Amino acid sequence: MTPTPITISDSQSGACAKILPGIGFNCVSFVVPSAGGPLEVLWTAPEFLAGEGKPSHSGIPILFPFTGRISGTEFEFEGKRFPLSAGDGRGNAIHGFALNRPWRLVEQASDRLVGALQASVDDPAILNHWPADFRITAAYQVSGSTLACDFTVENPDSKPLPFALGTHPYFRLPLGGASAADCRVTVPVEYGWELESLLPTGRTTSPPVVGELSRGMPFGEMKLDNVFGGLTFENHHCTTTIHDPASGRTMTMTFDDQFTTCVVYNPPHREAVCIEPYTTVPDPFRLRAMKIDPHLQVLPPGGLFRTRIEMRIS
């Protein structure tokens, strides 16, 4: 069955976004008018729009209640073990439960769309695989040349809720220019997390790419699927950019300091780059068992977590 996107737009600027409530509330398109014609900011595989392909490979997958990989197919929290399904081709669980499930529409306006997913309501089987019930709400809004998403995480359970939240946006390159290779990607980081088989070892490193990303790295030189920490924040916000020197356009994504980690990944097709803010280092339960703080969020019963991510073209 072909999924049906819902379009929201700003009537004054003409910018618009398309969201798929039926597949993870994935935002599959963000178009901004420009002198050279409509500019598509996001990359989405054509087969995904036809109802095929992996939800983690297109648009803006929402990663929750864990981000990245959890080693193997189970984890332990407060003395109890929870089973998960392998999904990364290496025998590890990956990217949570939210990105491939239908979300409920909560609110719809011409420029705003709100969706929600609650484990006990929308897929009670999840409760066998996570320590507590959860409710996540995402609200997309288009204004001018900005696409903003407000996230709310609630714990409706009587037990503590551990979670990580992240997004996995595929930013299309170039931004109106002729060459993706010449676009510069800037992510202000201080160190990388050492990986073995794409899982953090618990050790941090300072490879040259840390400085290159912080200064602005040409996309043509990027071969990355790396986890970074030590993000730089000004007024509690981190600013990442993609600049196309040929068109003069810049895509800016900002997020607050509740996000402690950022994955930078260029897919093999090299038509996009992913800048992925995470609240928690991947595989947090194993890292906690190693006495390493992965910044895992744990909401008490009745607890509430809010944050916002903004993307804009200038």
Side-chain angles (χ1 to χ4, degrees):
M1 182 176 177
T2 302
T4 303
I6 294 176
T7 300
I8 57 175
S9 62
D10 181 342
S11 59
Q12 293 188 341
S13 71
C16 64
K18 295 181 179 181
I19 296 109
L20 288 176
I23 308 179
F25 212 65
N26 189 319
C27 181
V28 293
S29 174
F30 175 41
V31 174
V32 177
S34 71
L39 177 69
E40 175 60 78
V41 180
L42 301 175
W43 185 91
T44 295
E47 61 268 23
F48 185 60
L49 295 176
E52 302 174 0
K54 289 188 175 182
S56 60
H57 288 182
S58 292
I60 307 178
I62 297 173
L63 313 182
F64 182 87
F66 61 94
T67 53
R69 290 168 172 81
I70 288 182
S71 55
T73 55
E74 66 175 14
F75 67 95
E76 183 176 333
F77 180 73
E78 294 195 342
K80 185 176 180 181
R81 303 196 71 82
F82 297 88
L84 298 171
S85 298
D88 72 339
R90 297 168 176 258
N92 304 303
I94 189 167
H95 291 336
F97 309 127
L99 80 169
N100 59 3
R101 283 170 168 79
W103 287 42
R104 281 174 292 113
L105 280 181
V106 175
E107 177 187 336
Q108 183 175 355
S110 60
D111 63 347
R112 174 179 165 87
L113 194 68
V114 184
L117 177 71
Q118 181 169 344
S120 62
V121 174
D122 301 299
D123 190 350
I126 291 174
L127 301 178
N128 297 320
H129 304 278
W130 205 252
D133 192 12
F134 59 75
R135 182 186 302 113
I136 178 171
T137 304
Y140 272 110
Q141 183 156 7
V142 177
S143 178
S145 59
T146 297
L147 175 66
C149 189
D150 291 293
F151 293 99
T152 302
V153 178
E154 300 170 86
N155 180 1
D157 211 323
S158 60
K159 299 171 289 187
L161 168 64
F163 76 89
L165 171 67
T167 61
H168 194 319
Y170 286 75
F171 293 116
R172 182 184 292 269
L173 297 177
L175 295 173
S179 170
D182 292 338
C183 293
R184 299 187 75 88
V185 180
T186 303
V187 184
V189 295
E190 293 181 355
Y191 58 83
W193 286 91
E194 181 185 75
L195 304 178
E196 289 183 0
S197 300
L198 297 177
L199 292 165
T201 65
R203 295 183 291 270
T204 59
T205 63
S206 295
V209 69
V210 167
E212 293 167 4
L213 273 175
S214 295
R215 292 188 297 269
M217 186 175 186
F219 179 69
E221 298 176 7
M222 295 178 66
K223 295 180 180 180
L224 298 178
D225 191 356
N226 294 49
V227 181
F228 296 99
L231 301 173
T232 299
F233 295 91
E234 293 184 9
N235 297 321
H236 302 286
H237 284 81
C238 180
T239 299
T240 66
T241 61
I242 301 170
H243 178 66
D244 186 333
S247 68
R249 297 189 183 97
T250 300
M251 192 293 302
T252 300
M253 179 172 67
T254 59
F255 48 88
D256 68 27
D257 53 11
Q258 296 179 104
F259 292 92
T260 65
T261 304
C262 193
V263 171
V264 181
Y265 167 61
N266 53 272
H269 55 67
R270 302 198 67 83
E271 296 177 13
V273 63
C274 302
I275 304 173
E276 311 169 35
Y278 294 178
T279 59
T280 301
V281 183
D283 208 7
F285 301 101
R286 183 173 61 90
L287 292 177
R288 276 171 40 122
M290 297 165 60
K291 309 300 181 185
I292 297 169
D293 180 13
H295 309 288
L296 180 68
Q297 297 277 346
V298 181
L299 275 184
L304 186 71
F305 171 94
R306 286 195 176 102
T307 192
R308 164 180 276 220
I309 297 176
E310 288 189 355
M311 291 149 278
R312 67 178 180 276
I313 294 292
S314 58

